[in-house]
Amino acid sequence: MRPKPIVDLLESVKVQTLYPDEILVIDGSRNDETQLALQSSSYLNLQYFKVEEQYRGLTKQRNFGISKVENDIDIVCF
């Protein structure tokens, strides 16, 4: 439920020298504000997942995200 900070973060990633092969946003929000904010811009390699109640919470959302990472990815950052 913090769409502005995630968009600010992704905007800073756009100008990095080395762009990530994959960016996953695991959204535990109870509204659609983050999803709407992400739809208003284009980010390469971005996958968005809105999780249901049973996957909300820091650890659960991280575990959910790890389950969605491509098999050939060597480094994961949170």
Side-chain angles (χ1 to χ4, degrees):
M1 294 184 56
R2 296 177 295 169
K4 173 102 172 78
I6 192 75
V7 169
D8 290 346
L9 171 70
L10 292 170
E11 288 297 320
S12 74
V13 170
K14 275 184 169 180
V15 298
Q16 298 299 311
T17 304
L18 181 60
Y19 194 85
D21 295 327
E22 185 174 40
I23 300 171
L24 305 180
V25 174
I26 313 302
D27 184 9
S29 301
R30 290 181 171 85
N31 59 40
D32 294 329
E33 290 179 23
T34 300
Q35 184 176 15
L36 293 172
L38 294 175
Q39 289 174 346
S40 67
S41 297
S42 177
Y43 303 103
L44 297 174
N45 305 332
L46 176 73
Q47 294 185 61
Y48 172 84
F49 299 92
K50 176 129 181 182
V51 295
E52 298 191 21
E53 185 68 36
Q54 71 263 25
Y55 296 112
R56 288 187 186 139
L58 182 62
T59 302
K60 290 179 181 180
Q61 283 176 232
R62 285 182 175 180
N63 288 338
F64 180 91
I66 289 290
S67 75
K68 301 299 181 187
V69 172
E70 294 292 327
N71 290 336
D72 61 344
I73 299 295
D74 294 323
I75 299 172
V76 176
C77 298
F78 294 97

